[in-house]
Structures are given as C-alpha cells and as structure tokens.
Amino acid sequence: MTDAAVFQARGIGKSYPGVRANDDVSFTVAPGEIHALLGENGAGKSTLVKMIYGLVRPDEGDMTLNGQPHQPADPRAARAAGVAMVFQHFSLFDALTVAENIALGMENPPPRRELSARIAQVSQDFGLPLNPARRIVTLSAGERQRVEIIRCLLQNPRLLIMDEPTSVLTPQEAELLFATLRKLAGHGTAILYISHKLEEIRTHCDRATILRHGRVVDSCDPREHSARTLAAMMVGGEMRPIDRSGRQAGEVLLQVKDLSLPAPTAEGTALKSVALTLRAGEILGIGGVAGNGQDELLSALSGEARSASGSILLEGADLSRLGPEARRTAGLLAAPEDRLGHAAVPDFSLTENTLLTAGARRHLVRKGLIDRPAARAFAQDVIRAFDVRTPGPGTAAKALSGGNLQKFVIGREVMQAPRVLVVNQPTWGVDAGASAAVRQSLLDLAGQGAGVIVISQDLDEILELSDRFCALNEGRLSAPVPTEGLTLDQIGLMLGGAHGMEVAHL
Amino acid sequence: MIRLVPRTETSAFWQIATPVMAVAATMLAGGLLFAIMGYDPVSAIRTIFWDPLFGPAAGYSRQQLLVKAAPLILIASGLAVGFRAGIWNIGAEGQYIIGAITGAAVALAAYPAPEMWIFPAMVVAGALGGWAWGMIPALLRNWFGASEILVSLMLVYVAQRIAAWMAFGPMKNPEGFGMPGSRNLQQYPAASNPELIAGTGAHWGVVAAAAAVLATWFLMSRHIRGFHIRAAGTAPRAARFAGVKPETLVAFCLGLSGALAGMAGLFEVAGPAGQITDKVGVGYGFTAIIVAFLGRLHPVGILLAGLLLALTYIGGELAQLTMNLPAATVQVFQGMLLFFLLGFDLLTRYRLTRRVTA
Ligand SMILES: Nc1ncnc2c1ncn2[C@@H]1O[C@H](COP(=O)(O)OP(=O)(O)OP(=O)(O)O)[C@@H](O)[C@H]1O
Ligand SMILES: [Mg+2]
C-alpha cells in the first residue's frame, strides 16, 4: 500500500505562538481514495492541508507525493506537483468575474472565450451550474464555493484537497458534489476531505484519519462506525443531547410586514413582500438554497439595508428606517453568514471585534470613547462561555480556526442578551460537539424569552432547533408551518421540490 | 518572466523596517546619482542629512527644521486618517492654498484693527476654507460616485489659479507699489504668527502640529470613530455591519484632512511666508503624502517622517548653496524615498519568483 500511495506524510509538526497546531502527524492517501480528515474545531486540519498545498511551511517532518519528496515553496509549486485545493474560506477577488478569477489561478490561462467554454463544460459534466461571466461579489457563499471547486477540477489534480466544501451546500448540491468526487476518484485521483458532517463522511469516505489537539489519535473505515462513535473519537468523550424543553411562545416581539427591497446588485435577489411574526421564546427556521435572498433578508433585519417605514416592527416600535447601531440598542441583533470580513474584521483582535457590535449594549463604548479593559473582559467572557479555542482575546480573528471564529461571532451576539437574534448559518464549519453547544445556546436564549430566527441551509439544524419553518425561495418567504412532525421530504417540497439544486439561476 | 507571489506570513517587524530601509536605500541611490553627476557623494549626503543638524550653520537650519516639519506633520496627520479608511485625499495642496487665502482674508478685512481675536479667527477661517475645499470631492463622491482621488487632485490646480487671481487682484497690497502679493502679515501684529520661543523656529503651527499628532493618535486608538475608520479600511462590509455609513466617513475624512491642511496654509501665510502670492503652494500638500506613508499612517511615525522630510528640504537647500547641487535635488530625494518605500513594501508582502514556462 505504502509504495502505491499518492500522498504520504511522516512526522509533520507545526507550531504557532501559543499553539501546537500539528504534532507528529503521519498518514497515507491511496489513489482513488476519498480520505476524510476528522477533528474538532482547532484540531489542526486546515493547518495540515495548508502545508500540503504550500501555504504554510512545516516545522518538522516530511511529505511525499507520487513517491517524490514534496516540499512546495508556495501553492504554485504545489499545483505544479498535482495538488489542488478548495479552501474553507474563499480566496476569490470580489470585483472580478468567475472566469477572470479562475484565469488568475492558472499558470497559462487560455484565451478568455476558450476558458469560459471549458468552465461551462466542466460545470455541466459535474453538475455544478455556474455562469462564467458573473462577478464574484454577486454570488452567494454556495456559488462561490462552486467557483473554487471548478477552478480545481480544471487542473486535473492528482490529489484534491477539500476543506469543508459542503458546509454551505444543500443536501442535493452535496450529493452532486459526491457524485463528482466519485467520478474523479474513479480516475485515480486521491481526495483529502475535511468536513464536520459525520453522516456525509460515513456514506462517502473510504478512510478517516482523526486528529485531536494536532495529533493523529485514530484511523478507521468510517463506514464501519456510527456518527456517534466517530464524534466520540474526535472529542475523546461522549456528547450531550440537545435539550429543547422549557420554552413557551409569549407575546409578539418582531413583526415584518410587506418587506420588499430591490436587489442590491444586478445579480442579487430582491425581497418580495416578506412577512413574518416572531414571538418571545420562539425559534423560527428559515430554509432555502443559497442565493435565494438569505443575505438580503439578514441585511434588511440587521439594518445594513433600510426598508419602507412600517415594514419592521420590534415590540411595536418601527425600526425599518434605523441603522444597525440603533437596532442593536433597541434589541434586534444579527450574525451574518460570512464570518471573515462581514461578521468580523480579519485583521483585528477578538477584543477589537467585540466593538463591532457590542459597543452600546455592553457599554464598551461610552460617549465615543472605547473602554478597552471592558472590551477585553467581554471578549474573554465570550471565549470562556462558548469554548472558543484560542490563546487569548488579543489573537487576530483570522488566526482562529474557522469553527472557533464562528463560535466567537455567535457568542458575541448571544451574550448581549438580545430581544431578537437573527443568525445566518450559525454552525457553518463548527464541529459536531461545538455545533450542539451553539444550538443549545440559541435554545437557551429563546428559553429566556428572546425570539430567534435561524436562517440555514442545514435542514437537520432547522428541524432540531425551530418551532416553525418558512422556506425562502427567490426572495419570497412561504407561510410558516409548525416543525412538529414535519419530515425532510416535506421540507424539500416547500423549498421547491426536486428542482432545489437548479434554483441558483443561470 | 518574473512574477509576484503573495507571502503567506508578514510580520510587524517589516512595518518598521521598511521605512528605515527606504531611507538607507535613498541615501545610497542618491549618493550614486551624485557620483555620476560628478559630485563627491559622501560630502553631498553629509551636507543634506548631517550638516543641517550638526554642521557649521546648524544654528540657523535647526530652526528651519520645525518650520518646515510643522505643515508636513499637520497635513499628514489628517491625510493618514483618511488613508486608513481607504479614502484618498491627494489634494491637500489645494486645501492648504484655500486655507491660506480664507485665513488671510480675515486679516486683510480687519486691517489695521489691533484686536486679540483676529489671529484665532484667522485660524478658524483657514480651517473652514480647507474643510470646504475638501468637502467638494467628498460630496461629489457621495452624490455621484466621482473618484475623490481625481477630483481632489484637480482642485489643486483650481486653487492655484484662485491664489494667483487673489495675489494680482482682490488681495493685492494697496501700498505695494503695484507689486503682486498681499500685505505682509508679519508686519501686522494682531494677525501674525510669530516665533513663540526665540531661536527654535516654533510658531503656532508647530503647536498645532503637535496637537494634531496627539489628537489623531487619540482618535485612531481610543475613539470609536477611529475604530470604524480602521475597520472600513480593511473590511468595509464588516464596518457597514457595525453601522458605519460610508458616506459619513468620506465626508469626515476629507473634511478633517482638508481642515488641517487649511490650517497649515494659514499658519504658513501668517508666519514664514508672510503674504498671499501666486506661489503660496510650495508643495507641502504633496510631500505630506510621502510623510503619511513613510510614517506608516501612524501619528508617531508621521512625526518622525515629517522631521526627516523637513531635513531633506533644508539639506537640499544647503547643498544647493554650498555644493551647487541642482535645485531639483530635494524632489529627486523625496521621489526616491517614496519609490523605495513602496518597493520594499511590495517585497515584504510578495515574493519574486521566476515563471517557468510549462
Ligand atoms: N495563522 C495562525 N496564527 C496563529 N495560530 C493559528 C494560525 N492558523 C491556525 N492557528 C491555530 O492553530 C490551531 C489549528 O487551527 P486549524 O485552522 O488547523 O484548525 P481546524 O482543525 O482546521 O479547525 P476548524 O474545524 O475550526 O476549521 C488553532 O488553535 C488555531 O488557532
Ligand atoms: Mg479549518
């Protein structure tokens, strides 16, 4: 097996200030194998694959690719050696089109027209609809991920690395992706796959290497284990089931009436007469395929976009013409989907990132003056309460692992005791254990009498959390139905049935 | 073919190291240039960078250091605030000129009244003039999406024409025997900006520059507005989520940098320059851009960079006098400084690699 391996790592180690991200990591990937990397948030998965892709230099250990020593000085060298990678966070230029972005990543890009044709071809072959002429800024997270995947497929890689590619895809889209991966694996391409979705790994992966605190703790065939035991291997303990009890719908908190907004960009989605009512103690789930108005709805509620007066009422007060700060003061808080660059400033420390939203409610800013010790203390509180794994509040947001930053962003809002909290993809990239904790915190928040709106593409999450469910489809929100007794199939029908995956309009 | 590849890890060390390297490289390249032109490179560099501080005539030139550094630091402090937010005011020179004119206008209108309020009123008028000139690009950007870079730059030329018109027309000294230029404010006590401590060169502009350094440091590190400015510069979407209105920031930053530049113009015209002429603008507004970047957009850095660039002005003049170096020396040096700074910055963020043909 060893000599036939596409990729092999021996004794890889990497340290960051205050963190041992990888420690003596060894594993092997065979040709045609879909190999999962499992581990909690901050276990060192992204760090490991970044070393394979030449983005980070290992401190010790060595790697081989196709039997050759593999020491890429940069991603270009790694690509030349046959490694391709889809990132956990997008590495696309917003102002450019899909085709231009893909051309930028290529060594010798073909003429634009030919490239567009090839993109169209690959996206058709692999069932990943994408228009090469669209600008990135207009794409939803799911569509951006698609760009990254197609960019890799065009390279014909020997080893394809995917860092949480399905966290923003719908189940249908994910199924399609796996069909794609199977096809690739059939041609002998090895695939290294990172995901927190254990079911998905159980059904589709051939092997799993499990990391904990930067070390390999186990290696197994995931098909022979239950999701529960896999999770236990990652955490080194048992998981607590979610507790939905102790909530009662009270008075109406938030009313959205006839909320219509034009599309913010040419390819964005217009909101069309959205209406909803949210009561105290209630969790409302909003499902839908990426690009159907999720971002726009969140912006309209957070105050980034203003709507006609009378369209958004919090406890009877009209907030529709107010900006984000005033809405937060009134008690309406939001956590957007894109944590790096939207919900948090990547270059700022966690302390500074608390100032982004918690200035008024937590008295971190008084008369315009920043109370740094208070901000630091609040960041510390969030870190502790939400088990954010990081050396401390002085760490830059971008240095956190994806899931840990997500926990911080959600924690920052939850701990401000909002009257109404709106979250978009609250557990995107968060590991099973931490997801449960985040969801529990949302349930607890509702238990204390707040209203919560969960926008998510993860239907299991919606079913697990919400009392009522609405589908968001091309900017229209369906009437709510109680989730009690609702099945995944019924939800699928509400989302537009079988054509759920085509909704990202070409 | 050679190409640039982004570095994965950049360090705080280079933030400080690159300006120092840029200064060293400028000295080397400058020396080389002088050698090619047939001057002794060592003594030329010494004349420019050493003699003004420690040479035989240092007594005079040391005073000049503060005189020249004050407007640079005052203007650069304001510019740096906008640059941090990604708002590019390139037209401080124009705001400086307009501030000089509006400030001087107060004095000329009041002449020869001796009241105490005249000088403070001039400072306010200078700041307002610069502010208004800065608001033009701000409003055009907010209303029509016009590039503030182009508009502010073009307004420099408009301001220069206005200064010429003033000097030859409305503001011409009635007792000036037909010479262009306004009354000399140095000879009008209630309006003049004198040396406060004899022998230091320190006038009110120096005080204002020091205050501006402190105030912008406070704004950027202690005030939520400064936090929003920094956030908007690196993550505009996050800033908007926080509640920052981009239009407000544009108006604030262009207004602030305009007001400080206008004040700098007033201090200059009421002090060292003395009068409005068609050459009120001497390039401080442009040099301040270099100061802002060389100082890493940080108040303390700007203080040091302002002193250094003031030194190149004085040293350049000295070299012109004592060694017959051409007058363009100063500009060449300032240009090289910016060039090397941008070059080294690029290299700390990117690596050069040779492209292998596949
Ligand atoms: N650039 C960096 N600077 C400092 N520390 C870092 C940096 N990148 C990662 N780390 C730290 O290294 C550890 C491993 O991070 P990594 O991103 O590899 O985790 P992960 O397994 O991918 O987690 P997730 O599932 O949340 O994405 C974390 O503790 C993280 O804080
Ligand atoms: Mg990761």
Side-chain angles (χ1 to χ4, degrees), chain B residues 195-223:
Chain B
E195 197 175 16
L196 296 173
I197 307 165
T200 57
H203 55 68
W204 282 109
V206 175
V207 178
V213 167
L214 281 177
T216 52
W217 170 80
F218 183 80
L219 171 73
M220 296 311 281
S221 61
R222 290 283 177 272
H223 199 274

Side-chain angles (χ1 to χ4, degrees), chain A residues 55 73-74 76 107-108 304 306 324-325 328 334 336 338 341-342 345 348 352 355-357 365 368-370 372, chain B residues 3 5 8 218 221-224 227 230-231 234-235 237-238 240-243 245 351 353-356 358:
Chain A
L55 273 169
D74 53 34
R76 209 174 53 87
E107 290 313 315
N108 296 298
E304 287 163 272
R306 317 278 158 94
E325 270 301 317
R328 282 186 200 114
D338 193 357
H342 194 185
V345 180
F348 285 6
E352 289 198 293
L355 297 169
L356 221 45
T357 65
V365 177
L369 297 188
I370 297 167
R372 224 159 247 279
Chain B
R3 51 185 243 157
V5 181
T8 47
F218 183 80
S221 61
R222 290 283 177 272
H223 199 274
I224 191 73
F227 172 82
R230 289 187 288 126
T234 96
R237 227 149 66 94
R240 204 168 308 185
F241 170 61
K245 275 201 210 133
R351 281 182 305 117
T353 53
R354 194 158 318 135
R355 176 191 282 224
V356 265

Side-chain angles (χ1 to χ4, degrees), chain A residues 481-498:
Chain A
V481 293
T483 44
E484 192 78 47
L486 202 62
T487 64
L488 274 178
D489 285 344
Q490 286 167 307
I491 290 186
L493 279 174
M494 280 179 74
L495 291 180

Side-chain angles (χ1 to χ4, degrees), chain A residues 162-228:
Chain A
M162 304 203 126
D163 196 349
E164 300 189 32
T166 55
S167 40
V168 289
L169 303 186
T170 59
Q172 293 93 332
E173 286 175 316
E175 282 307 316
L176 269 172
L177 173 67
F178 280 109
T180 309
L181 294 186
R182 270 288 156 226
K183 261 187 232 173
L184 268 175
H187 293 121
T189 304
I191 292 154
L192 198 49
Y193 191 86
I194 300 178
S195 171
H196 290 294
K197 298 186 174 173
L198 299 176
E199 280 308 331
E200 165 182 298
I201 283 171
R202 285 191 57 236
T203 21
H204 297 291
C205 294
D206 307 312
R207 273 216 82 66
T209 294
I210 297 164
L211 294 176
R212 194 191 310 152
H213 303 310
R215 322 191 89 230
V216 175
V217 291
D218 218 329
S219 165
C220 65
D221 182 341
R223 288 165 297 201
E224 292 168 359
H225 296 270
S226 71
R228 231 188 144 66

Side-chain angles (χ1 to χ4, degrees), chain A residues 461-497:
Chain A
E461 172 164 275
I462 286 187
L463 282 182
E464 192 171 334
L465 285 179
S466 53
D467 307 303
R468 289 183 303 147
F469 171 81
C470 301
L472 190 60
N473 213 333
E474 292 186 354
R476 273 182 241 281
L477 194 67
S478 72
V481 293
T483 44
E484 192 78 47
L486 202 62
T487 64
L488 274 178
D489 285 344
Q490 286 167 307
I491 290 186
L493 279 174
M494 280 179 74
L495 291 180

